[in-house]
């Protein structure tokens, strides 16, 4: 049997530096120290985007492996200790509960895992975002894997011309459905155009059945039943030779789209593609950021990273994001900058309603009484 390599990307916010803007270097050092001592891993890379620590782990143990998830959990717990010592902001915020019980899913951290038989050359891009939610990947993933105006390979590369299958999750009702692109795209767009509820979980190359992309779809707030931060998502995409070219994967980010998140997880704002050096969102706790790290897998070793948005070709996108951010901010507490009532992570509505309840006059009852 051919050897299978798994790349597990597991992320959590276990304490911000300063506020919710970044990660203190001591936490990253702690994570690296723990992972470098693990016999389970072939290789690892630790990075951060905004206040989220991202662990990239390669191994031969497959997806949903208890030992790997335990290792990630223990790493986040150890980082939390450092965060507590430094009195960093929101220490341990994404770790729900105290005990690990076999699978890190449902405990707070976001998880995306891909298991592959390495090709002759295996380029991958890991996208990581801060101050937004899993559905933020819907728009770029659609463009990458289903839109010929973004991905010319869908038209002119015989190995891509058959299209891709999309697994879409209903994050509220916890259901999944498969769509086949291009045949089903009109049906699929009805759902993925509503990224607060429906999120693309996995994409498969139709002709070979091979996995092409996987995202994290954990919704922390739904798990915790209260606000504990947005569910800053990650996504792994295989590139080249039948999969989208590296440039086709990055292209959607040249046309920034609006995502939910930003300040207090309660605002729409543009998703800004940035190099690592610019990954800490500070203006109004944003605008939301995305980084893209490129790796070549070699026997499970992570050759890289290449900081893919560290390219002046994305300067105009960043500029446009700033213009959109200015405009959206000018709306202040009004929709569509502020999210609709049912999607906001923070609300004073029950409080204000209670205070004003006697000042509301029910017009229907008054009318009925008059009759
Ligand atoms: C959004 C985010 C921040 C915080 C904001 C208030 O995902 O992390 O915008 O929501 O800084 O934070 P607290 O309530 O912790 O003071
Ligand atoms: Mg935070
Ligand atoms: Mg975050």
């Amino acid at each position: 049997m051919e050897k299978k390599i798994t790349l597990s990307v597991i992320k959590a916010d276990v304490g911000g530096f300063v506020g919710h803007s970044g990660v203190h270097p001591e936490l990253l050092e702690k994570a690296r120290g723990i992972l470098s001592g693990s016999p389970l891993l072939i290789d690892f890379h630790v990075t951060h985007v905004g206040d989220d620590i991202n662990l990239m782990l390669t191994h031969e143990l497959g997806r949903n492996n208890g030992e790997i998830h335990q290792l990630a959990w223990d790493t986040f717990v150890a980082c939390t200790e450092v965060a507590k010592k430094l009195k960093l902001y929101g220490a341990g915020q994404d770790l729900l509960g105290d005990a690990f019980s076999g699978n890190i899913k449902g405990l707070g951290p976001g998880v995306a895992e891909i298991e592959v038989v390495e090709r002759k050359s295996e380029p991958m891009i890991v996208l990581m975002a801060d101050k937004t939610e899993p559905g933020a990947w819907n728009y770029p993933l659609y463009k990458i894997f289903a839109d010929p105006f973004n991905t010319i390979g869908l038209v002119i590369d015989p190995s891509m011309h058959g299209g891709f299958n999309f697994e879409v999750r209903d994050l509220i009702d916890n259901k999944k459905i498969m769509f086949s692109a291009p045949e089903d795209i009109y049906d699929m767009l009805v759902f993925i155009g509503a990224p607060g509820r429906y999120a693309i979980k996995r994409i498969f190359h139709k002709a070979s059945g091979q996995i092409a992309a996987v995202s994290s779809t954990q919704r922390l707030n739904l798990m915790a039943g209260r606000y504990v931060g947005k569910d800053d998502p990650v996504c792994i995409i295989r590139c080249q030779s039948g999969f989208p070219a590296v440039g086709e994967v990055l292209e959607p980010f040249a046309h920034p789209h609006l995502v939910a998140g930003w300040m207090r997880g309660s605002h729409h704002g543009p998703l800004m593609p940035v190099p690592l050096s610019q990954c800490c969102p500070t203006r109004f706790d944003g605008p939301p950021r995305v980084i893209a790290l490129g790796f070549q897998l070699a026997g499970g070793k992570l050759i890289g990273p290449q900081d893919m948005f560290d390219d002046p070709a994305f300067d105009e996108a960043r500029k446009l994001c700033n213009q959109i951010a200015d405009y959206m901010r000018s709306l202040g507490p009004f929709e569509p900058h502020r999210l609709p009532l049912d999607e906001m992570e923070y609300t004073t509505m029950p409080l204000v309603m209670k205070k004003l309840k006697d000042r509301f006059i029910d017009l229907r009852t008054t009318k009925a009484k008059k009759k």
Side-chain angles (χ1 to χ4, degrees):
M1 246 210 3
E2 279 178 295
K3 188 163 96 171
K4 284 190 169 173
I5 302 288
T6 301
L7 169 61
S8 302
V9 181
I10 308 185
K11 53 80 43 183
D13 173 353
V14 294
F17 170 64
V18 171
H20 288 285
S21 67
V23 173
H24 192 281
E26 246 190 74
L27 271 66
L28 301 174
E29 277 320 303
K30 183 58 151 187
R32 289 180 188 122
I34 292 177
L35 297 175
S36 61
S38 170
L40 301 173
L41 303 179
I42 302 172
D43 202 1
F44 69 88
H45 183 76
V46 175
T47 192
H48 79 104
V49 54
D51 56 5
D52 297 292
I53 298 178
N54 297 273
L55 311 177
M56 282 156 260
L57 315 171
T58 56
H59 52 92
E60 287 178 54
L61 301 171
R63 292 187 292 129
N64 292 314
N65 179 270
E67 287 181 286
I68 294 293
H69 285 205
Q70 174 94 56
L71 177 63
W73 178 260
D74 292 346
T75 305
F76 290 134
V77 169
C79 291
T80 300
E81 289 314 309
V82 180
K84 282 184 180 157
K85 183 190 82 187
L86 300 177
K87 288 185 70 181
L88 298 179
Y89 194 68
Q93 77 161 45
D94 283 3
L95 306 186
L96 310 176
D98 307 315
F100 178 82
S101 54
N103 194 310
I104 205 163
K105 287 180 190 165
L107 290 176
V111 184
E113 301 186 290
I114 198 165
E115 189 180 25
V116 300
V117 175
E118 261 182 32
R119 294 170 291 161
K120 197 170 126 215
S121 180
E122 187 63 67
M124 286 190 185
I125 290 180
V126 184
L127 299 167
M128 293 161 269
D130 187 37
K131 303 291 182 276
T132 185
E133 61 182 15
W137 304 132
N138 287 4
Y139 172 88
L141 284 174
Y142 176 80
K143 293 190 89 167
I144 296 164
F145 288 97
D147 179 4
F149 281 75
N150 181 91
T151 299
I152 186 62
L154 295 167
V155 181
I156 63 172
D157 180 349
S159 64
M160 286 178 75
H161 198 68
F164 291 86
N165 289 327
F166 289 65
E167 178 188 323
V168 173
R169 293 275 173 98
D170 176 342
L171 303 181
I172 307 282
D173 269 356
N174 204 13
K175 289 183 193 156
K176 67 175 181 182
I177 177 168
M178 294 300 299
F179 291 104
S180 175
E183 308 89 274
D184 291 341
I185 57 171
Y186 295 166
D187 288 343
M188 180 166 77
L189 283 165
V190 172
F191 297 96
I192 64 171
R197 172 155 190 173
Y198 299 97
I200 299 169
K201 176 66 189 171
R202 261 185 270 277
I203 298 174
F204 299 91
H205 186 264
K206 209 187 291 177
S208 68
Q210 282 201 55
I211 184 79
V214 57
S215 72
S216 63
T217 48
Q218 282 69 33
R219 295 244 359 227
L220 200 53
N221 303 304
L222 297 179
M223 287 175 215
R226 65 191 150 88
Y227 179 72
V228 264
K230 265 288 182 206
D231 318 283
D232 307 318
V234 295
C235 182
I236 309 169
I237 304 180
R238 295 173 91 180
C239 308
Q240 310 288 155
S241 305
F243 297 114
V246 163
E248 290 167 335
V249 170
L250 302 175
E251 180 63 8
F253 298 96
H255 306 277
H257 63 299
L258 292 173
V259 297
W262 205 344
M263 173 59 81
R264 297 178 188 274
S266 303
H267 293 80
H268 282 122
L271 185 61
M272 185 186 270
V274 288
L276 284 169
S277 60
Q278 298 176 354
C279 79
C280 291
T282 60
R283 180 183 178 187
F284 198 57
D285 289 0
R289 300 297 146 108
V290 54
I291 59 169
L293 295 190
F295 295 94
Q296 292 283 155
L297 248 62
K301 288 274 177 202
L302 289 163
I303 309 303
Q306 179 82 269
D307 188 357
M308 307 308 288
F309 289 138
D310 192 5
D311 177 350
F314 288 96
D315 283 352
E316 293 308 308
R318 291 187 269 267
K319 203 165 138 193
L320 181 56
C321 283
N322 278 327
Q323 286 164 1
I324 297 170
D326 269 343
Y327 174 72
M328 296 299 276
R329 285 299 303 124
S330 73
L331 301 179
F334 283 80
E335 296 179 19
H337 181 29
R338 203 210 66 194
L339 297 187
L341 286 176
D342 57 334
E343 284 176 39
M344 280 194 299
E345 308 292 0
Y346 283 62
T347 181
T348 47
M349 186 60 110
L351 207 86
V352 177
M353 264 301 188
K354 199 172 160 205
K355 189 178 76 180
L356 299 183
K357 77 177 186 322
D358 296 332
R359 282 165 59 184
F360 271 99
I361 298 165
D362 189 333
L363 295 175
R364 282 167 313 172
T365 345
T366 322
K367 242 186 193 168
K369 270 184 195 156
K370 271 186 188 161
K371 267 189 190 170

